[in-house]
Amino acid sequence: MLRCLNPWRRPLLSCSWSRLCLFKQYLFTMKLQSPEFQSLFTAGLKSLTDLFVKENHELRIAGGAVRDLLSGVKPQDVDFATTATPAQMKEMFQSAGIRMINNKGEKHGTITARLHEENFEITTLRIDVVTDGRHAEVEFTTDWQKDAERRDLTINSMFLGFDGTLFDYFSGFEDLKNKKVRFVGHAKQRIQEDYLRILRYFRFYGRIVDKPGDHDPETLEAIAENAKGLAGISGERIWVELKKILIGNHVNHLINLIYDLDVAPYIGLPTNASLEEFNKVSKNVEGFSPKPMTVLASLFKVQDDVTKLDLRLKISKEEKNLGIFVVKNRKDLVKAADSSEPLKPYQDFIIDSRESDATTRVCELLKYQGEHRLLEQMQQWCIPPFPLRHHHITQETSCVL
């Protein structure tokens, strides 16, 4: 027995491990025992695991939840994988009197069961038969490694048994310890299966890596060669990933890399972007939890750039209005500021505006401009009770630092 120490947090793992040659790959196994793992065992999960054991079907925690647990973080969402087919799961749950909800995922192998007021999303192990860069036709399997092979990144390809046994076919745990983001197998092949994986690579790079700049040359080459494939991905899917990149770590490095690799034109970003302005603003907002659009607006030179982005990514009305507001007012309100009362133009704008989110927009603009002292003053000014002249300001629209 060996005791493994998690180098990026406190001691996390009490484990033994072995490497078994399996299908020309190495399976790395060990035991995870941590408070975060134990906290998952609710009454609902215990009932679920007991049922799968009774029916002789394997069930494990999969993907991102395993990554989070190994990082000492309790996952917000837990996905499960199983050797049982959707038909077997449906029969099993019906016989046990367990309610199933949201049957939209059934054709992809996913069944959602509700036990003890909790939802459990369980997906049958799969193999991609045909892929077109956006969607995949799958067939079901009982081979855990085959399912791991079809996943995007090594750190997302691991499984965890309910006795704490980790199943790692592609050195995902090693990569997690070393703060590395790698595709499973060949980067080019993984990307061509789903071009959105280009943005997922950037997103997890910002989440996992300590210091920016260390990329596998083969990965960057694969991204550059296949960037145009993102043109066929829906704007909504792209925006979900891009927002997470914008509020993650190393955003300056990653957005510049997106331009260097010629990814930007295919995801709605302007070709003549103000990268110098972006570099300045990305430093201004550090530590102040900006909205994604606040950071992204620094790339835009004119308001029409926001409109073009909306056409490609289908952003919300609130996001579009914030982008237009920042581009329009990022210089005007600063010019209007008097040295003796620098906050006054911003206060007057809020007072004169009858829109409920005016305060939020102004606070985002102050983050954008790096006016941290004024931002704190604005926060104090927004605290109730408000003067009658700006009674429309509510606590919900006050500044968030």
Side-chain angles (χ1 to χ4, degrees), residues 27 50 85 95 99 118 122 145 165 182 226-227 232 241 267 341 347 376 386-387:
L27 169 63
D50 288 345
T85 65
S95 298
R99 178 185 169 201
E118 285 186 87
I122 310 149
Q145 182 183 321
T165 300
R182 290 191 306 116
N226 292 279
E241 293 295 331
I267 60 174
E341 293 184 275
Q347 294 169 326
E376 293 175 1
F386 303 114

Side-chain angles (χ1 to χ4, degrees), residues 267-270 293 296-297 299-317 319-325 327-328:
I267 60 174
L269 300 184
M293 182 54 72
L296 192 61
L299 292 172
F300 305 143
K301 292 183 177 178
V302 294
Q303 295 177 47
D304 192 48
D305 288 338
V306 184
T307 302
K308 291 177 181 177
L309 180 84
D310 181 36
L311 289 173
R312 174 67 178 96
L313 302 187
K314 307 296 190 295
I315 62 179
S316 70
K317 182 179 179 181
E319 291 163 339
K320 181 179 179 181
N321 288 343
L322 175 59
I324 291 173
F325 170 81
V327 173
K328 180 181 178 181

Side-chain angles (χ1 to χ4, degrees), residues 303-366:
Q303 295 177 47
D304 192 48
D305 288 338
V306 184
T307 302
K308 291 177 181 177
L309 180 84
D310 181 36
L311 289 173
R312 174 67 178 96
L313 302 187
K314 307 296 190 295
I315 62 179
S316 70
K317 182 179 179 181
E318 176 189 351
E319 291 163 339
K320 181 179 179 181
N321 288 343
L322 175 59
I324 291 173
F325 170 81
V326 171
V327 173
K328 180 181 178 181
N329 294 283
R330 57 190 168 191
K331 294 180 181 178
D332 292 347
L333 284 177
V334 173
K335 289 179 182 177
D338 183 273
S339 58
S340 61
E341 293 184 275
L343 196 61
K344 191 174 186 302
Y346 302 97
Q347 294 169 326
D348 288 344
F349 177 88
I350 293 171
I351 293 167
D352 294 339
S353 173
R354 308 313 300 174
E355 297 183 23
S356 61
D357 63 346
T359 309
T360 299
R361 292 189 206 174
V362 167
C363 288
E364 290 300 309
L365 181 59
L366 290 170

Side-chain angles (χ1 to χ4, degrees), residues 27-30 32 37 59-67 69-70 79-82 123-126 141 143-151 154-170 172-173:
L27 169 63
F28 176 82
T29 64
M30 67 182 188
L32 170 68
F37 175 54
L59 179 71
R60 297 174 187 170
I61 299 170
V66 181
R67 179 197 65 238
L69 288 167
L70 291 171
D79 293 327
F80 301 90
T82 182
T123 301
T124 304
L125 298 179
R126 298 173 292 180
T141 182
D143 189 329
W144 291 93
Q145 182 183 321
K146 290 294 184 184
D147 187 275
E149 285 175 358
R150 63 178 293 279
R151 295 177 182 260
T154 61
I155 57 175
N156 295 333
S157 68
M158 297 176 282
F159 302 103
L160 186 65
F162 295 99
D163 63 349
T165 300
L166 176 71
F167 299 88
D168 177 12
Y169 296 93
F170 298 101
F173 179 59

Side-chain angles (χ1 to χ4, degrees), residues 219-282:
T219 297
L220 296 186
E221 182 179 348
I223 290 172
E225 287 179 359
N226 292 279
K228 60 183 179 294
L230 283 163
I233 302 297
S234 73
E236 292 88 344
R237 292 181 72 202
I238 288 173
W239 185 226
V240 167
E241 293 295 331
L242 185 57
K243 283 192 288 188
K244 292 176 181 178
I245 293 170
L246 289 166
I247 60 175
N249 297 324
H250 317 315
V251 61
N252 184 287
H253 167 74
L254 291 172
I255 294 297
N256 277 277
L257 189 58
I258 282 172
Y259 274 91
D260 290 343
L261 298 176
D262 201 30
V263 173
Y266 304 106
I267 60 174
L269 300 184
T271 54
N272 62 336
S274 302
L275 285 172
E276 185 177 343
E277 176 77 356
F278 174 80
N279 293 338
K280 180 178 72 175
V281 170
S282 61

Side-chain angles (χ1 to χ4, degrees), residues 379-391 393-395:
Q379 186 186 41
Q380 292 300 315
W381 184 73
C382 291
I383 295 175
F386 303 114
L388 290 176
R389 61 184 185 143
H390 54 282
H391 60 85
I393 303 172
T394 65
Q395 184 64 47

